[in-house]
Amino acid sequence: IGLKPSLKVWMTFPYGRMDPSSVPLLAWHFVAQQSSVNPVLAFCRGDVVHFLLVKRDESGTIHVSKQKQLHLHYDLINFTWINSRTVVLLDSAEKLHVIDRQTQEELETVEISEVQLVYNSSHFKSLATGGNVSQALALVGEKACYQSICSYGGQIFYLGTKSVHVMLLRNWRERIDHLLKQECFTEALALAWSFHEGKAKAVVGLSGEPNKRRVVVADRMIEILFQYADRALKKCPDQGKIQVMEQHFQDMVPVIVDYCLLLQRTDLLFTQMYDKLSENSVAKDVFLECLEPYILNDKLVGLTAQVMKDLLIHFQDRNMMDSVEACIVHMDITSLDIQQVVLMCWENHLYDAMIYVYNSGMNDFISPMEKLFKVIACPLSAGKALTDEQVVMGNKLLVYISCCLAGRAYPLGDIPEDLVPLVKNQVFEFLIRLHSPEASPEEEVYPYMRTLLHFDTREFLNVLALTFEDFENDKQAVEYQQRMVDILLKVMVENSDFTPSQVGCLFTFLARQLAKPENTLFVNRVLFDQVLEFLCSPDDDSRHSERQQVLLELLQAGGIVQFEENRLIRLAEKAEFYQICEFMYERKHQYDKIIDCYLQDPVRKEDVFNYIHNILSIPGYSAEEKQSTWNKAMGKIEEMVSLNPCKAADMVATHFIEQIDTIIRKLQDPFLLFQFLKSMLEPRDGAQISQEIPLMSPAVSELYIDLLCQFSPLHVTEALKALEHYRIEETLQIAQKHKLLEASAYLLEKKGDVHGAFLVMLEKLQSKLVVLIQESEKPKEVLLLKDVEDTLSETIALCQRASHSLNQQQREALWFPLLEAMMSPQKLFSPAASQQYSEPLKCLTMVMLNSMAAFIALPSILQRILQDPVYGKGKLGEIQGLILGMLETFNYEQTLLETTTNLLNQDLHWSLSNLRACVTRGLNPKQDYCCVCLQQYKRRQEAADEIIIFSCGHLYHSLCLLSKECGVETVGQTRWTCYKCNSRKKGGQGSEPVSEFRQGRPSSMVQMKATSSYPSAREECGNKKQTADTVLDPQQIQAFDQLCRMYRGTSRLALLTELSRTQSGEKHGLLNVSQSSLAANSVFQNENFQLHLAPPPLTDN
């Protein structure tokens, strides 16, 4: 609000939803912003402080704008400006918070409860006048302390009950000294550095220009660093392990080095500070080691001569030569003894450092090459293998040459621009020297080029290729380029010391250079012809693949333009370079000839299938090219099948399925044809069956089965089960021709002739038993018994599959001959053989009888056994074990049947009990009036009127329900439906009365009672009698049906009915199960019958 010259409201600001006990606070202060100074009003109530800037424009108009907001986590009772950048807040817990206004950072917190601050409660509550103030003013008075706190000249005065306390900000020196008194040197240095950089908050006493402030703070920091160094030396533990002393100085010395470098006072660091720390040998070592990371990060480039010398000696004494090398290449070494450093580097194999010293210290780029060449040239010229150290030197030499030719310094940085042309010329002149300075008479010409080519031809040529790319506009460099190419040709072509791979690398390099549009090189074409004849020499079998690969790279690099193509193909064919032939044929689009290249190449033979598939499948090839490839593949089909039948079958199924008959005629070898058809017709892992295979003639499948009978008869039955497209009659003749009984039985069964299949399997079993009898004295009886067991299992499985669709007489015609076949051999064994075979055959016979008992009645089985002439002569003891086993099985099944019956009876009893409890339970109405007429149910309407209560709780008069058409006459009784529930469902379910079985209890279940208030004694007697003789009405029957449907599986009533039919006399007459109709239709003879032994479902009680 402005008061002068007239009253005017400049801005309104809402309180918002504040705590009524919060103290409202206002505080003004002048704040410098940009080039002007304006007042800022801080307004607060609660935990949010709002800053409002008041500004006057040129016209004199006052503007009030919102600035930042300060959100706090405590309730304020006082707000005080201590200067334009810092405010001091007092919360309700009497804690002072020093806040930086710009960053809103809390700088310090001070507890002032000991001040015993004076509050203005008595004045706000007006205790002297009897407290006649508003409730709001009284609430604020609890925390009001307006007159107890004031600020002046950067000081804040707090009025206590016994004293006055003054709070002020320390100046920057006092803040540092305060930390130093507590021996917090690292914190003091960090705070001083923040003053130096101008990042500190609430700074007092540091004024003037920024540079002057930095000088003042830097002087103070240097004083602190010397104090810190003195303390580090004094506090060093005199006794104990050396590790303890090292750890002590590792915590302190890096701090000194770091701040000296930040202040850019290396003169101080390497003179006074280094001398002070050198008084302790451990501190000196730690100081030298901590310099390494600064040197590697290029933060410390120059060292004094003494420190550098001590550093190298220190690392050398501790065998840390890798650190020495890493430091040297990052330093200015002009202050060092270069000869001494070079000697040290050479003795310790520090080649990077040695090269750096030569280059940086003396601008000498050739001497390092000469030194390295001397080491690797001798063993290479003598043909000896290089050591690991020599290989490292050779690799460094190649990289160094590459850097020099590219204008880069080794190992890092760049060569000065004014030296780049000079360095390139020096390196070229060095490489093309005719002899070395100290050459022996035996030295060959161009030793340096020769040495590099012998060391690593490919990498040296790559270095030259990268260099030649920068020679486009440099005439002198182009001359060097031609000169080097001539030398390369002279050294490698006229010398037999180089391998075909090395010569090939040279001509590949030349071909790439000649293929460039701006090429200026000249190479005699005769040389390319000589290289071609050298690589394609048919008399040289050594390094065949290497020579072929070199020639292929040469052609792919553009060297093909240097050769006559027809001559190249002839030479490649003679040398058996099939990849070269493929390359040439592909250029001419003669794809059919490439098939021969693959088939003749022993390494890539099986790749021919993928190649043919790609040609015939991938778009981009003309119809003539695809047809020629297709014809060539058809002509080579027999060779490809013999190569890999599986891949050939996949190819035929994809591209040649229509010519399958022609392909079969071409395959003359029966076994090869068998392998091919097996791959075609039988599924394999990773192979997809073509959709065209089912369209093939059945004769193909039958031919395969015929071949399978010849070459793999044991797998015929499996193949018959897997295959589908064959004729049964023709296939059966094939199986019978090869006397494969199991396959014949399978086909007969598939045909529908179950008895014929059984006779075949029976014949096979009998033949196995005859062999067992004849070979009983030999040691092969174990294998023979296994054959008998397998054949018997297959025969039993056949009988079981067939018995489900046969009557009792037909079943006996299957099972009894099988029983006789198993029992008859037991009579023919000699006494010695009987001891060996009696038990195994009895076990097999019991297995058969157990399977047989599921389809043939036990009395019939016993009768058939006792009618046997052998056992009818009083030798019942011989089959005692057999009969006892059958009776034991019978007892087990009888016990299982009784247990099942008891479980079903208990289940049914529980269901019926639950149903009876459900249908006889009383119903509780929700209200005592009719839901239609809304009258009390006791109110009499007519004599015949009854009360009807539904399970949903709704109550009606019977006449009211009839008026709403909610009663249906069925079989002399009335079926009622709830009017309210039915009316809700009519919209979605039609107008038919709907029963409410979706609830846990059927809602159509009702209780009726006459409405007469004075029933007669006869009626009461009749009602009691009717209640006693409860009969299920249609609604109750419907509820019972729903309860039955809650149980999944076969009906319990159906099971009990069958049990009562089959078990009329409990245990008496249980052997009368031989009736055919009962055995055929009983659920106990059904293989799919399952017992659902689950707990009963939960119902609503």
Side-chain angles (χ1 to χ4, degrees):
I1 299 174
L3 299 179
K4 293 180 180 181
S6 61
L7 186 66
K8 186 176 181 181
V9 177
W10 288 335
M11 183 182 181
T12 60
F13 198 86
Y15 263 166
R17 295 183 178 179
M18 300 290 185
D19 185 0
S21 63
S22 299
V23 179
L25 303 171
L26 287 174
W28 286 94
H29 202 281
F30 285 94
V31 176
Q33 289 191 346
Q34 297 178 354
S35 60
S36 61
V37 177
N38 296 298
V40 173
L41 172 64
F43 161 71
C44 173
R45 185 172 188 184
D47 55 358
V48 180
V49 181
H50 304 274
F51 293 96
L52 307 177
L53 175 65
V54 182
K55 191 174 183 181
R56 180 177 180 179
D57 60 12
E58 296 177 356
S59 62
T61 306
I62 302 297
H63 299 278
V64 181
S65 59
K66 296 180 182 178
Q67 301 294 308
K68 295 181 179 179
Q69 290 184 353
L70 177 60
H71 293 271
L72 308 170
H73 58 277
Y74 41 81
D75 191 20
L76 289 185
I77 62 174
N78 183 264
F79 183 100
T80 308
W81 293 85
I82 197 168
N83 56 43
S84 61
R85 298 180 302 275
T86 311
V87 297
V88 178
L89 311 180
L90 178 64
D91 63 14
S92 57
E94 295 191 355
K95 289 184 179 180
L96 283 181
H97 303 270
V98 183
I99 306 292
D100 182 74
R101 183 182 63 84
Q102 289 292 337
T103 62
Q104 299 187 1
E105 178 183 353
E106 185 171 283
L107 305 178
E108 189 176 0
T109 302
V110 181
E111 176 73 42
I112 64 166
S113 57
E114 70 276 1
V115 173
Q116 298 180 5
L117 189 66
V118 175
Y119 290 90
N120 310 130
S121 304
S122 60
H123 297 286
F124 273 78
K125 294 182 179 181
S126 188
L127 298 179
T129 59
N132 53 349
V133 296
S134 65
Q135 186 177 0
L137 194 60
L139 279 174
V140 172
E142 295 290 340
K143 303 176 182 178
C145 55
Y146 294 110
Q147 307 303 323
S148 302
I149 303 173
C150 66
S151 62
Y152 178 78
Q155 298 179 344
I156 305 177
F157 298 88
Y158 294 90
L159 177 62
T161 56
K162 297 181 180 179
S163 59
V164 176
H165 295 259
V166 182
M167 302 288 180
L168 71 161
L169 292 178
R170 295 188 181 96
N171 61 35
W172 68 277
R173 289 183 180 276
E174 292 174 343
R175 291 171 66 178
I176 294 175
D177 294 339
H178 177 72
L179 293 174
L180 292 177
K181 288 179 181 179
Q182 301 176 12
E183 294 190 349
C184 300
F185 286 89
T186 55
E187 291 81 355
L189 287 169
L191 179 61
W193 180 249
S194 66
F195 293 145
H196 186 275
E197 295 298 304
K199 296 180 181 180
K201 307 292 189 302
V203 182
V204 177
L206 192 61
S207 59
E209 297 180 357
N211 291 333
K212 292 183 178 180
R213 292 201 299 267
R214 291 193 185 96
V215 171
V216 172
V217 175
D219 293 340
R220 180 57 178 152
M221 289 184 69
I222 292 172
E223 296 175 4
I224 298 173
L225 288 173
F226 278 109
Q227 295 178 18
Y228 191 46
D230 292 337
R231 181 178 180 276
L233 294 172
K234 291 180 182 179
K235 296 291 184 179
C236 176
D238 297 333
Q239 298 179 353
K241 297 182 180 180
I242 190 68
Q243 291 85 355
V244 177
M245 298 177 65
E246 288 180 352
Q247 185 63 44
H248 169 75
F249 287 111
Q250 285 173 0
D251 294 338
M252 294 187 171
V253 174
V255 177
I256 298 173
V257 176
D258 196 10
Y259 281 106
C260 284
L261 294 178
L262 287 174
L263 294 171
Q264 299 180 359
R265 295 298 302 272
T266 53
D267 57 331
L268 181 68
L269 178 65
F270 296 133
T271 54
Q272 301 178 44
M273 196 65 69
Y274 181 63
D275 294 341
K276 184 180 290 292
L277 294 175
S278 298
E279 298 174 2
N280 188 301
S281 59
V282 178
K284 179 181 179 181
D285 294 343
V286 172
F287 176 85
L288 294 173
E289 289 181 9
C290 76
L291 295 178
E292 181 182 0
Y294 298 100
I295 296 173
L296 297 182
N297 293 327
D298 296 326
K299 293 181 179 180
L300 185 60
V301 179
L303 300 179
T304 61
Q306 183 63 39
V307 175
M308 185 65 188
K309 180 181 177 181
D310 293 345
L311 179 67
L312 296 180
I313 293 174
H314 172 76
F315 282 141
Q316 195 170 7
D317 292 342
R318 283 161 176 73
N319 197 23
M320 300 169 63
M321 302 313 298
D322 292 340
S323 299
V324 173
E325 185 173 35
C327 290
I328 288 177
V329 298
H330 285 82
M331 293 173 57
D332 179 11
I333 46 84
T334 54
S335 60
L336 301 179
D337 185 349
I338 294 179
Q339 295 300 328
Q340 181 182 0
V341 174
V342 169
L343 181 61
M344 180 195 68
C345 293
W346 186 257
E347 290 176 352
N348 294 279
H349 310 293
L350 307 180
Y351 305 115
D352 290 351
M354 181 196 69
I355 294 172
Y356 177 80
V357 171
Y358 269 112
N359 295 348
S360 301
M362 298 182 289
N363 286 336
D364 185 357
F365 293 86
I366 302 302
S367 297
M369 294 187 194
E370 294 177 343
K371 283 181 170 291
L372 295 176
F373 267 113
K374 287 180 181 179
V375 177
I376 66 173
C378 294
L380 285 175
S381 60
K384 297 179 181 179
L386 297 179
T387 63
D388 293 341
E389 184 66 28
Q390 291 169 341
V391 172
V392 171
M393 293 174 65
N395 291 328
K396 288 182 181 293
L397 179 59
L398 281 175
V399 177
Y400 176 56
I401 293 173
S402 176
C403 289
C404 290
L405 294 177
R408 303 295 305 275
Y410 183 86
L412 49 90
D414 294 312
I415 298 175
E417 292 185 4
D418 57 333
L419 294 178
V420 171
L422 177 63
V423 172
K424 287 185 178 181
N425 293 336
Q426 289 179 352
V427 173
F428 276 125
E429 291 291 343
F430 172 79
L431 292 175
I432 62 177
R433 285 181 184 175
L434 192 62
H435 288 287
S436 59
E438 301 175 358
S440 62
E442 296 81 11
E443 185 183 70
E444 296 183 276
V445 293
Y446 306 112
Y448 300 128
M449 296 275 284
R450 192 181 301 274
T451 299
L452 291 174
L453 289 171
H454 275 296
F455 175 73
D456 195 330
T457 306
R458 187 181 299 274
E459 290 303 323
F460 177 56
L461 293 176
N462 288 339
V463 170
L464 294 181
L466 292 174
T467 305
F468 289 173
E469 291 180 359
D470 300 331
F471 286 179
E472 298 178 5
N473 300 320
D474 191 345
K475 293 183 179 180
Q476 185 177 3
V478 170
E479 294 176 1
Y480 279 125
Q481 181 180 2
Q482 183 65 50
R483 177 67 176 153
M484 295 196 73
V485 168
D486 294 339
I487 294 173
L488 288 172
L489 291 171
K490 182 176 181 59
V491 169
M492 297 192 71
V493 177
E494 297 179 5
N495 196 320
S496 60
D497 292 344
F498 294 94
T499 64
S501 176
Q502 292 173 317
V503 176
C505 287
L506 171 62
F507 280 88
T508 301
F509 162 75
L510 294 177
R512 287 173 179 157
Q513 297 302 317
L514 294 174
K516 292 181 178 179
E518 65 280 359
N519 172 56
T520 58
L521 290 176
F522 170 77
V523 179
N524 193 345
R525 188 166 181 172
V526 177
L527 293 175
F528 279 92
D529 293 337
Q530 293 176 357
V531 170
L532 179 62
E533 293 178 356
F534 167 71
L535 294 176
C536 295
S537 175
D539 300 329
D540 186 7
D541 294 335
S542 63
R543 304 192 179 189
H544 180 274
S545 60
E546 179 184 349
R547 289 186 289 117
Q548 179 177 212
Q549 187 63 31
V550 167
L551 182 55
L552 183 61
E553 291 180 1
L554 175 59
L555 297 177
Q556 291 173 343
I560 191 170
V561 298
Q562 308 294 333
F563 304 108
E564 199 273 318
E565 295 188 2
N566 293 329
R567 179 171 179 268
L568 176 59
I569 292 176
R570 288 196 303 271
L571 291 175
E573 289 176 347
K574 289 181 181 179
E576 297 181 353
F577 286 175
Y578 298 112
Q579 294 184 38
I580 306 300
C581 296
E582 177 188 355
F583 178 81
M584 298 304 299
Y585 288 143
E586 191 168 358
R587 284 174 56 87
K588 296 184 176 184
H589 300 282
Q590 296 176 349
Y591 301 106
D592 54 334
K593 293 185 178 181
I594 298 179
I595 296 178
D596 291 326
C597 296
Y598 277 102
L599 292 175
Q600 294 173 10
D601 193 344
V603 179
R604 303 187 304 150
K605 274 187 175 183
E606 294 197 2
D607 294 339
V608 68
F609 302 103
N610 291 333
Y611 176 76
I612 294 174
H613 175 73
N614 292 338
I615 295 295
L616 298 179
S617 302
I618 297 176
Y621 301 97
S622 65
E624 293 79 6
E625 293 167 351
K626 290 188 177 183
Q627 185 62 38
S628 63
T629 304
W630 192 90
N631 295 333
K632 188 70 172 182
M634 280 294 296
K636 297 289 183 178
I637 192 67
E638 184 174 4
E639 185 177 352
M640 288 189 285
V641 171
S642 61
L643 177 63
N644 191 319
C646 295
K647 292 186 177 181
D650 294 338
M651 183 186 69
V652 170
T654 306
H655 302 289
F656 303 92
I657 192 65
E658 296 177 355
Q659 302 296 323
I660 187 67
D661 296 333
T662 305
I663 295 173
I664 290 175
R665 287 194 298 271
K666 285 187 175 185
L667 298 177
Q668 300 297 327
D669 186 2
F671 184 72
L672 187 61
L673 178 59
F674 162 68
Q675 289 182 312
F676 171 72
L677 291 177
K678 180 179 180 182
S679 302
M680 279 283 294
L681 299 175
E682 291 192 1
R684 292 174 284 113
D685 293 339
Q688 297 181 354
I689 301 299
S690 174
Q691 298 179 356
E692 303 293 336
I693 288 181
L695 303 179
M696 290 191 305
S697 171
V700 177
S701 299
E702 294 162 9
L703 174 60
Y704 168 63
I705 293 171
D706 192 1
L707 294 171
L708 189 64
C709 293
Q710 300 176 36
F711 298 107
S712 184
L714 297 178
H715 299 90
V716 173
T717 305
E718 298 177 4
L720 290 173
K721 294 177 181 178
L723 298 176
E724 297 179 358
H725 304 284
Y726 58 85
R727 294 167 294 185
I728 295 179
E729 289 294 342
E730 286 74 2
T731 309
L732 180 60
Q733 293 176 6
I734 294 172
Q736 292 174 348
K737 179 180 70 172
H738 293 281
K739 298 181 180 179
L740 297 179
L741 300 179
E742 185 179 352
S744 301
Y746 173 77
L747 291 171
L748 287 171
E749 183 184 3
K750 189 172 183 180
K751 180 182 175 182
D753 187 1
V754 177
H755 191 70
F758 171 74
L759 293 178
V760 172
M761 293 302 297
L762 184 63
E763 178 186 355
K764 181 180 179 181
L765 178 62
Q766 290 173 342
S767 63
K768 297 287 185 183
L769 291 171
V770 169
V771 173
L772 181 64
I773 295 172
Q774 295 174 354
E775 303 289 337
S776 59
E777 302 298 332
K778 298 181 181 180
K780 296 182 180 180
E781 65 274 1
V782 176
L783 296 177
L784 294 174
L785 277 173
K786 187 70 171 62
D787 290 342
V788 171
E789 182 179 356
D790 294 340
T791 306
L792 178 61
S793 300
E794 295 170 2
T795 309
I796 290 174
L798 172 63
C799 294
Q800 288 176 334
R801 290 193 300 270
S803 295
H804 293 293
S805 59
L806 301 178
N807 57 30
Q808 188 69 18
Q809 183 178 0
Q810 292 171 334
R811 292 177 183 176
E812 293 178 356
L814 290 180
W815 289 101
F816 284 145
L818 181 59
L819 177 61
E820 183 177 355
M822 286 299 299
M823 296 184 64
S824 57
Q826 302 180 35
K827 315 165 193 174
L828 304 177
F829 283 125
S830 61
S834 178
Q835 296 293 330
Q836 299 179 9
Y837 295 107
S838 59
E839 288 300 325
L841 285 181
K842 283 182 180 179
C843 292
L844 294 178
T845 305
M846 282 303 304
V847 171
M848 191 211 67
L849 285 172
N850 288 335
S851 303
M852 182 180 179
F855 303 98
I856 307 297
L858 291 178
S860 299
I861 299 174
L862 290 173
Q863 183 179 3
R864 187 59 177 261
I865 293 175
L866 294 176
Q867 286 178 354
D868 189 285
V870 177
Y871 302 125
K873 298 179 181 179
K875 297 183 179 180
L876 193 62
E878 297 181 5
I879 60 169
Q880 180 181 1
L882 188 64
I883 296 175
L884 290 177
M886 294 171 60
L887 293 176
E888 183 179 354
T889 303
F890 169 76
N891 289 332
Y892 167 74
E893 293 181 352
Q894 179 184 0
T895 304
L896 180 63
L897 184 63
E898 291 177 355
T899 304
T900 304
T901 304
N902 291 335
L903 289 174
L904 292 173
N905 288 336
Q906 292 176 8
D907 194 6
L908 180 61
H909 173 71
W910 178 90
S911 301
L912 293 175
S913 299
N914 188 68
L915 176 63
R916 183 180 182 280
C918 186
V919 300
T920 59
R921 186 172 57 192
L923 300 177
N924 183 26
K926 293 181 179 179
Q927 62 279 331
D928 57 354
Y929 55 85
C930 175
C931 293
V932 176
C933 64
L934 303 179
Q935 300 294 329
Q936 292 289 331
Y937 72 90
K938 296 181 180 180
R939 183 171 179 177
R940 185 181 183 86
Q941 294 184 5
E942 296 184 14
D945 199 3
E946 294 179 329
I947 296 173
I948 300 176
I949 303 174
F950 290 89
S951 59
C952 58
H954 296 141
L955 181 146
Y956 303 92
H957 295 122
S958 59
L959 294 179
C960 295
L961 275 182
L962 287 176
S963 66
K964 296 297 183 180
E965 298 180 354
C966 291
V968 180
E969 293 287 341
T970 55
V971 198
Q973 294 186 356
T974 303
R975 177 184 175 187
W976 303 98
T977 56
C978 179
Y979 169 70
K980 271 195 171 184
C981 299
N982 191 33
S983 61
R984 293 195 194 104
K985 298 179 180 180
K986 273 186 178 182
Q989 300 180 356
S991 60
E992 292 294 328
V994 179
S995 59
E996 302 178 4
F997 289 111
R998 296 184 181 180
Q999 303 176 4
R1001 179 179 177 188
S1003 62
S1004 62
M1005 203 177 296
V1006 300
Q1007 289 186 359
M1008 296 186 295
K1009 182 178 180 182
T1011 59
S1012 174
S1013 302
Y1014 305 98
S1016 63
R1018 184 180 300 175
E1019 288 175 344
E1020 290 181 359
C1021 182
N1023 289 339
K1024 290 179 181 179
K1025 182 178 180 181
Q1026 185 177 359
T1027 305
D1029 300 334
T1030 303
V1031 179
L1032 294 180
D1033 57 16
Q1035 290 83 359
Q1036 294 169 339
I1037 294 175
Q1038 189 175 2
F1040 173 72
D1041 292 339
Q1042 183 204 12
L1043 190 64
C1044 291
R1045 285 195 298 272
M1046 293 169 67
Y1047 299 93
R1048 298 177 182 177
T1050 309
S1051 170
R1052 271 70 168 172
L1053 292 177
L1055 291 176
L1056 290 177
T1057 303
E1058 185 167 358
L1059 288 174
S1060 64
R1061 186 169 69 246
T1062 60
Q1063 224 181 339
S1064 58
E1066 291 294 331
K1067 295 185 180 180
H1068 302 291
L1070 282 173
L1071 292 177
N1072 297 329
V1073 196
S1074 60
Q1075 301 170 1
S1076 61
S1077 62
L1078 194 61
N1081 300 323
S1082 174
V1083 295
F1084 302 108
Q1085 304 298 334
N1086 184 3
E1087 291 183 350
N1088 298 324
F1089 173 69
Q1090 297 180 356
L1091 289 177
H1092 296 273
L1093 301 180
L1098 297 175
T1099 59
D1100 187 11
N1101 292 328

